[in-house]
PDB file of all heavy atoms in Angstrom:
ATOM      1  N   MET A 730     116.247 119.871  99.690  1.00 85.00           N
ATOM      2  CA  MET A 730     115.658 120.531 100.841  1.00 85.00           C
ATOM      3  C   MET A 730     114.713 121.622 100.364  1.00 85.00           C
ATOM      4  O   MET A 730     115.027 122.356  99.420  1.00 85.00           O
ATOM      5  CB  MET A 730     116.753 121.127 101.736  1.00 85.00           C
ATOM      6  CG  MET A 730     116.222 121.753 103.008  1.00 85.00           C
ATOM      7  SD  MET A 730     117.547 122.133 104.161  1.00 85.00           S
ATOM      8  CE  MET A 730     118.571 123.185 103.146  1.00 85.00           C
ATOM      9  N   GLU A 731     113.593 121.723 101.038  1.00 91.00           N
ATOM     10  CA  GLU A 731     112.593 122.701 100.643  1.00 91.00           C
ATOM     11  C   GLU A 731     113.014 124.090 101.107  1.00 91.00           C
ATOM     12  O   GLU A 731     113.328 124.306 102.282  1.00 91.00           O
ATOM     13  CB  GLU A 731     111.239 122.329 101.237  1.00 91.00           C
ATOM     14  CG  GLU A 731     110.107 123.247 100.808  1.00 91.00           C
ATOM     15  CD  GLU A 731     108.777 122.824 101.393  1.00 91.00           C
ATOM     16  OE1 GLU A 731     108.742 121.809 102.126  1.00 91.00           O
ATOM     17  OE2 GLU A 731     107.775 123.515 101.139  1.00 91.00           O
ATOM     18  N   GLN A 732     113.002 125.023 100.199  1.00 94.00           N
ATOM     19  CA  GLN A 732     113.322 126.413 100.506  1.00 94.00           C
ATOM     20  C   GLN A 732     112.009 127.162 100.757  1.00 94.00           C
ATOM     21  O   GLN A 732     111.219 127.355  99.843  1.00 94.00           O
ATOM     22  CB  GLN A 732     114.087 127.051  99.352  1.00 94.00           C
ATOM     23  CG  GLN A 732     115.396 126.359  99.011  1.00 94.00           C
ATOM     24  CD  GLN A 732     116.449 126.533 100.089  1.00 94.00           C
ATOM     25  OE1 GLN A 732     116.461 127.549 100.801  1.00 94.00           O
ATOM     26  NE2 GLN A 732     117.308 125.548 100.227  1.00 94.00           N
ATOM     27  N   LEU A 733     111.799 127.553 101.982  1.00 94.00           N
ATOM     28  CA  LEU A 733     110.556 128.224 102.359  1.00 94.00           C
ATOM     29  C   LEU A 733     110.685 129.728 102.131  1.00 94.00           C
ATOM     30  O   LEU A 733     111.711 130.340 102.446  1.00 94.00           O
ATOM     31  CB  LEU A 733     110.241 127.952 103.828  1.00 94.00           C
ATOM     32  CG  LEU A 733     110.125 126.469 104.199  1.00 94.00           C
ATOM     33  CD1 LEU A 733     109.956 126.306 105.704  1.00 94.00           C
ATOM     34  CD2 LEU A 733     108.955 125.821 103.473  1.00 94.00           C
ATOM     35  N   ARG A 734     109.652 130.307 101.602  1.00 93.00           N
ATOM     36  CA  ARG A 734     109.648 131.744 101.308  1.00 93.00           C
ATOM     37  C   ARG A 734     109.222 132.529 102.553  1.00 93.00           C
ATOM     38  O   ARG A 734     108.144 133.101 102.622  1.00 93.00           O
ATOM     39  CB  ARG A 734     108.732 132.038 100.127  1.00 93.00           C
ATOM     40  CG  ARG A 734     109.160 131.335  98.846  1.00 93.00           C
ATOM     41  CD  ARG A 734     108.255 131.706  97.690  1.00 93.00           C
ATOM     42  NE  ARG A 734     108.330 133.136  97.395  1.00 93.00           N
ATOM     43  CZ  ARG A 734     107.605 133.726  96.435  1.00 93.00           C
ATOM     44  NH1 ARG A 734     106.738 133.019  95.710  1.00 93.00           N
ATOM     45  NH2 ARG A 734     107.723 135.023  96.236  1.00 93.00           N
ATOM     46  N   TYR A 735     110.094 132.481 103.533  1.00 95.00           N
ATOM     47  CA  TYR A 735     109.818 133.182 104.806  1.00 95.00           C
ATOM     48  C   TYR A 735     111.137 133.702 105.331  1.00 95.00           C
ATOM     49  O   TYR A 735     112.166 133.009 105.309  1.00 95.00           O
ATOM     50  CB  TYR A 735     109.182 132.228 105.818  1.00 95.00           C
ATOM     51  CG  TYR A 735     109.005 132.832 107.197  1.00 95.00           C
ATOM     52  CD1 TYR A 735     107.937 133.672 107.483  1.00 95.00           C
ATOM     53  CD2 TYR A 735     109.911 132.555 108.214  1.00 95.00           C
ATOM     54  CE1 TYR A 735     107.777 134.224 108.746  1.00 95.00           C
ATOM     55  CE2 TYR A 735     109.766 133.106 109.482  1.00 95.00           C
ATOM     56  CZ  TYR A 735     108.696 133.937 109.735  1.00 95.00           C
ATOM     57  OH  TYR A 735     108.537 134.491 110.990  1.00 95.00           O
ATOM     58  N   LYS A 736     111.112 134.935 105.815  1.00 96.00           N
ATOM     59  CA  LYS A 736     112.303 135.554 106.394  1.00 96.00           C
ATOM     60  C   LYS A 736     111.994 135.917 107.841  1.00 96.00           C
ATOM     61  O   LYS A 736     111.054 136.677 108.102  1.00 96.00           O
ATOM     62  CB  LYS A 736     112.689 136.796 105.603  1.00 96.00           C
ATOM     63  CG  LYS A 736     113.921 137.519 106.140  1.00 96.00           C
ATOM     64  CD  LYS A 736     114.230 138.777 105.333  1.00 96.00           C
ATOM     65  CE  LYS A 736     114.728 138.408 103.950  1.00 96.00           C
ATOM     66  NZ  LYS A 736     115.188 139.603 103.200  1.00 96.00           N
ATOM     67  N   PRO A 737     112.744 135.355 108.812  1.00 96.00           N
ATOM     68  CA  PRO A 737     112.496 135.706 110.220  1.00 96.00           C
ATOM     69  C   PRO A 737     112.590 137.209 110.429  1.00 96.00           C
ATOM     70  O   PRO A 737     113.446 137.891 109.857  1.00 96.00           O
ATOM     71  CB  PRO A 737     113.615 134.964 110.960  1.00 96.00           C
ATOM     72  CG  PRO A 737     113.995 133.842 110.053  1.00 96.00           C
ATOM     73  CD  PRO A 737     113.830 134.373 108.668  1.00 96.00           C
ATOM     74  N   THR A 738     111.691 137.710 111.272  1.00 94.00           N
ATOM     75  CA  THR A 738     111.631 139.152 111.528  1.00 94.00           C
ATOM     76  C   THR A 738     111.596 139.416 113.028  1.00 94.00           C
ATOM     77  O   THR A 738     111.055 138.617 113.805  1.00 94.00           O
ATOM     78  CB  THR A 738     110.379 139.776 110.895  1.00 94.00           C
ATOM     79  OG1 THR A 738     109.214 139.099 111.391  1.00 94.00           O
ATOM     80  CG2 THR A 738     110.427 139.657 109.388  1.00 94.00           C
ATOM     81  N   PRO A 739     112.172 140.516 113.472  1.00 93.00           N
ATOM     82  CA  PRO A 739     112.054 140.901 114.889  1.00 93.00           C
ATOM     83  C   PRO A 739     110.594 141.110 115.262  1.00 93.00           C
ATOM     84  O   PRO A 739     109.771 141.511 114.443  1.00 93.00           O
ATOM     85  CB  PRO A 739     112.860 142.203 114.970  1.00 93.00           C
ATOM     86  CG  PRO A 739     113.801 142.133 113.818  1.00 93.00           C
ATOM     87  CD  PRO A 739     113.071 141.413 112.732  1.00 93.00           C
ATOM     88  N   ALA A 740     110.287 140.829 116.515  1.00 90.00           N
ATOM     89  CA  ALA A 740     108.915 140.919 116.982  1.00 90.00           C
ATOM     90  C   ALA A 740     108.436 142.358 116.999  1.00 90.00           C
ATOM     91  O   ALA A 740     109.215 143.291 117.240  1.00 90.00           O
ATOM     92  CB  ALA A 740     108.789 140.300 118.370  1.00 90.00           C
ATOM     93  N   SER A 741     107.146 142.522 116.748  1.00 81.00           N
ATOM     94  CA  SER A 741     106.512 143.840 116.835  1.00 81.00           C
ATOM     95  C   SER A 741     105.508 143.867 117.969  1.00 81.00           C
ATOM     96  O   SER A 741     104.521 144.585 117.924  1.00 81.00           O
ATOM     97  CB  SER A 741     105.806 144.171 115.512  1.00 81.00           C
ATOM     98  OG  SER A 741     104.854 143.161 115.191  1.00 81.00           O
ATOM     99  N   SER A 742     105.737 143.055 118.988  1.00 65.00           N
ATOM    100  CA  SER A 742     104.834 142.981 120.129  1.00 65.00           C
ATOM    101  C   SER A 742     104.849 144.293 120.899  1.00 65.00           C
ATOM    102  O   SER A 742     105.874 144.987 120.955  1.00 65.00           O
ATOM    103  CB  SER A 742     105.257 141.831 121.053  1.00 65.00           C
ATOM    104  OG  SER A 742     104.563 141.881 122.274  1.00 65.00           O
ATOM    105  N   PRO A 743     103.720 144.674 121.533  1.00 66.00           N
ATOM    106  CA  PRO A 743     103.713 145.898 122.353  1.00 66.00           C
ATOM    107  C   PRO A 743     104.516 145.764 123.633  1.00 66.00           C
ATOM    108  O   PRO A 743     104.695 146.739 124.353  1.00 66.00           O
ATOM    109  CB  PRO A 743     102.214 146.088 122.660  1.00 66.00           C
ATOM    110  CG  PRO A 743     101.620 144.724 122.538  1.00 66.00           C
ATOM    111  CD  PRO A 743     102.381 144.044 121.447  1.00 66.00           C
ATOM    112  N   LEU A 744     105.022 144.554 123.934  1.00 63.00           N
ATOM    113  CA  LEU A 744     105.830 144.384 125.119  1.00 63.00           C
ATOM    114  C   LEU A 744     107.147 145.136 124.967  1.00 63.00           C
ATOM    115  O   LEU A 744     107.681 145.286 123.875  1.00 63.00           O
ATOM    116  CB  LEU A 744     106.120 142.893 125.365  1.00 63.00           C
ATOM    117  CG  LEU A 744     104.906 141.999 125.601  1.00 63.00           C
ATOM    118  CD1 LEU A 744     105.342 140.549 125.714  1.00 63.00           C
ATOM    119  CD2 LEU A 744     104.162 142.428 126.858  1.00 63.00           C
ATOM    120  N   GLY A 745     107.697 145.615 126.087  1.00 65.00           N
ATOM    121  CA  GLY A 745     108.952 146.345 126.046  1.00 65.00           C
ATOM    122  C   GLY A 745     110.149 145.414 126.027  1.00 65.00           C
ATOM    123  O   GLY A 745     110.038 144.201 126.191  1.00 65.00           O
ATOM    124  N   GLY A 746     111.321 145.979 125.813  1.00 72.00           N
ATOM    125  CA  GLY A 746     112.557 145.221 125.854  1.00 72.00           C
ATOM    126  C   GLY A 746     112.711 144.225 124.729  1.00 72.00           C
ATOM    127  O   GLY A 746     113.230 143.126 124.935  1.00 72.00           O
ATOM    128  N   LEU A 747     112.283 144.579 123.517  1.00 87.00           N
ATOM    129  CA  LEU A 747     112.404 143.650 122.397  1.00 87.00           C
ATOM    130  C   LEU A 747     113.856 143.453 122.001  1.00 87.00           C
ATOM    131  O   LEU A 747     114.214 142.422 121.446  1.00 87.00           O
ATOM    132  CB  LEU A 747     111.589 144.160 121.207  1.00 87.00           C
ATOM    133  CG  LEU A 747     110.079 144.281 121.435  1.00 87.00           C
ATOM    134  CD1 LEU A 747     109.384 144.765 120.175  1.00 87.00           C
ATOM    135  CD2 LEU A 747     109.487 142.957 121.895  1.00 87.00           C
ATOM    136  N   THR A 748     114.691 144.429 122.268  1.00 91.00           N
ATOM    137  CA  THR A 748     116.121 144.317 122.015  1.00 91.00           C
ATOM    138  C   THR A 748     116.868 144.863 123.216  1.00 91.00           C
ATOM    139  O   THR A 748     116.620 145.990 123.650  1.00 91.00           O
ATOM    140  CB  THR A 748     116.522 145.109 120.751  1.00 91.00           C
ATOM    141  OG1 THR A 748     115.766 144.632 119.643  1.00 91.00           O
ATOM    142  CG2 THR A 748     117.996 144.914 120.451  1.00 91.00           C
ATOM    143  N   THR A 749     117.776 144.050 123.768  1.00 94.00           N
ATOM    144  CA  THR A 749     118.607 144.482 124.891  1.00 94.00           C
ATOM    145  C   THR A 749     120.066 144.373 124.478  1.00 94.00           C
ATOM    146  O   THR A 749     120.382 144.182 123.311  1.00 94.00           O
ATOM    147  CB  THR A 749     118.328 143.629 126.135  1.00 94.00           C
ATOM    148  OG1 THR A 749     118.794 142.283 125.910  1.00 94.00           O
ATOM    149  CG2 THR A 749     116.834 143.586 126.456  1.00 94.00           C
ATOM    150  N   THR A 750     120.960 144.463 125.458  1.00 94.00           N
ATOM    151  CA  THR A 750     122.385 144.344 125.153  1.00 94.00           C
ATOM    152  C   THR A 750     122.812 142.914 124.888  1.00 94.00           C
ATOM    153  O   THR A 750     123.920 142.692 124.384  1.00 94.00           O
ATOM    154  CB  THR A 750     123.226 144.900 126.313  1.00 94.00           C
ATOM    155  OG1 THR A 750     122.882 144.213 127.526  1.00 94.00           O
ATOM    156  CG2 THR A 750     122.972 146.392 126.502  1.00 94.00           C
ATOM    157  N   SER A 751     121.963 141.916 125.205  1.00 95.00           N
ATOM    158  CA  SER A 751     122.357 140.520 125.003  1.00 95.00           C
ATOM    159  C   SER A 751     121.222 139.646 124.479  1.00 95.00           C
ATOM    160  O   SER A 751     121.412 138.436 124.330  1.00 95.00           O
ATOM    161  CB  SER A 751     122.870 139.913 126.317  1.00 95.00           C
ATOM    162  OG  SER A 751     121.872 139.953 127.317  1.00 95.00           O
ATOM    163  N   THR A 752     120.051 140.202 124.213  1.00 96.00           N
ATOM    164  CA  THR A 752     118.921 139.410 123.725  1.00 96.00           C
ATOM    165  C   THR A 752     118.162 140.179 122.650  1.00 96.00           C
ATOM    166  O   THR A 752     118.281 141.402 122.540  1.00 96.00           O
ATOM    167  CB  THR A 752     117.933 139.077 124.861  1.00 96.00           C
ATOM    168  OG1 THR A 752     117.304 140.279 125.314  1.00 96.00           O
ATOM    169  CG2 THR A 752     118.623 138.396 126.037  1.00 96.00           C
ATOM    170  N   PHE A 753     117.378 139.436 121.874  1.00 96.00           N
ATOM    171  CA  PHE A 753     116.411 140.058 120.974  1.00 96.00           C
ATOM    172  C   PHE A 753     115.237 139.109 120.806  1.00 96.00           C
ATOM    173  O   PHE A 753     115.315 137.917 121.144  1.00 96.00           O
ATOM    174  CB  PHE A 753     117.024 140.421 119.613  1.00 96.00           C
ATOM    175  CG  PHE A 753     117.557 139.252 118.827  1.00 96.00           C
ATOM    176  CD1 PHE A 753     116.753 138.571 117.932  1.00 96.00           C
ATOM    177  CD2 PHE A 753     118.875 138.852 118.968  1.00 96.00           C
ATOM    178  CE1 PHE A 753     117.239 137.498 117.197  1.00 96.00           C
ATOM    179  CE2 PHE A 753     119.381 137.789 118.229  1.00 96.00           C
ATOM    180  CZ  PHE A 753     118.563 137.103 117.342  1.00 96.00           C
ATOM    181  N   VAL A 754     114.137 139.626 120.321  1.00 95.00           N
ATOM    182  CA  VAL A 754     112.892 138.859 120.245  1.00 95.00           C
ATOM    183  C   VAL A 754     112.481 138.713 118.791  1.00 95.00           C
ATOM    184  O   VAL A 754     112.477 139.687 118.025  1.00 95.00           O
ATOM    185  CB  VAL A 754     111.767 139.556 121.053  1.00 95.00           C
ATOM    186  CG1 VAL A 754     110.477 138.756 120.961  1.00 95.00           C
ATOM    187  CG2 VAL A 754     112.186 139.716 122.512  1.00 95.00           C
ATOM    188  N   LEU A 755     112.119 137.467 118.418  1.00 95.00           N
ATOM    189  CA  LEU A 755     111.664 137.152 117.072  1.00 95.00           C
ATOM    190  C   LEU A 755     110.204 136.744 117.082  1.00 95.00           C
ATOM    191  O   LEU A 755     109.697 136.234 118.088  1.00 95.00           O
ATOM    192  CB  LEU A 755     112.480 135.992 116.479  1.00 95.00           C
ATOM    193  CG  LEU A 755     113.946 136.213 116.154  1.00 95.00           C
ATOM    194  CD1 LEU A 755     114.571 134.890 115.736  1.00 95.00           C
ATOM    195  CD2 LEU A 755     114.109 137.250 115.058  1.00 95.00           C
ATOM    196  N   GLU A 756     109.546 136.950 115.951  1.00 93.00           N
ATOM    197  CA  GLU A 756     108.233 136.375 115.744  1.00 93.00           C
ATOM    198  C   GLU A 756     108.376 134.874 115.520  1.00 93.00           C
ATOM    199  O   GLU A 756     109.304 134.423 114.855  1.00 93.00           O
ATOM    200  CB  GLU A 756     107.548 137.016 114.528  1.00 93.00           C
ATOM    201  CG  GLU A 756     107.192 138.479 114.687  1.00 93.00           C
ATOM    202  CD  GLU A 756     106.000 138.705 115.605  1.00 93.00           C
ATOM    203  OE1 GLU A 756     105.342 137.709 115.989  1.00 93.00           O
ATOM    204  OE2 GLU A 756     105.720 139.873 115.923  1.00 93.00           O
ATOM    205  N   GLN A 757     107.465 134.095 116.101  1.00 94.00           N
ATOM    206  CA  GLN A 757     107.483 132.655 115.851  1.00 94.00           C
ATOM    207  C   GLN A 757     107.107 132.366 114.399  1.00 94.00           C
ATOM    208  O   GLN A 757     106.294 133.083 113.804  1.00 94.00           O
ATOM    209  CB  GLN A 757     106.512 131.941 116.784  1.00 94.00           C
ATOM    210  CG  GLN A 757     106.921 131.951 118.232  1.00 94.00           C
ATOM    211  CD  GLN A 757     105.964 131.160 119.103  1.00 94.00           C
ATOM    212  OE1 GLN A 757     105.008 130.558 118.607  1.00 94.00           O
ATOM    213  NE2 GLN A 757     106.203 131.152 120.400  1.00 94.00           N
ATOM    214  N   PRO A 758     107.674 131.305 113.808  1.00 94.00           N
ATOM    215  CA  PRO A 758     107.347 130.974 112.407  1.00 94.00           C
ATOM    216  C   PRO A 758     106.013 130.233 112.300  1.00 94.00           C
ATOM    217  O   PRO A 758     105.962 129.044 111.983  1.00 94.00           O
ATOM    218  CB  PRO A 758     108.531 130.084 111.984  1.00 94.00           C
ATOM    219  CG  PRO A 758     108.954 129.422 113.253  1.00 94.00           C
ATOM    220  CD  PRO A 758     108.730 130.431 114.354  1.00 94.00           C
TER     221      PRO A 758
END
C-alpha cells in the first residue's frame, strides 16, 4: 500500500464554528 506523505489538518477557513461539541472541520485532501 502506498504511504502518502500527507497529514490531515483542521480547516483554517474564515468560517465560524470549525470546532463544536460534536463536530470538527477538516481540509479536503
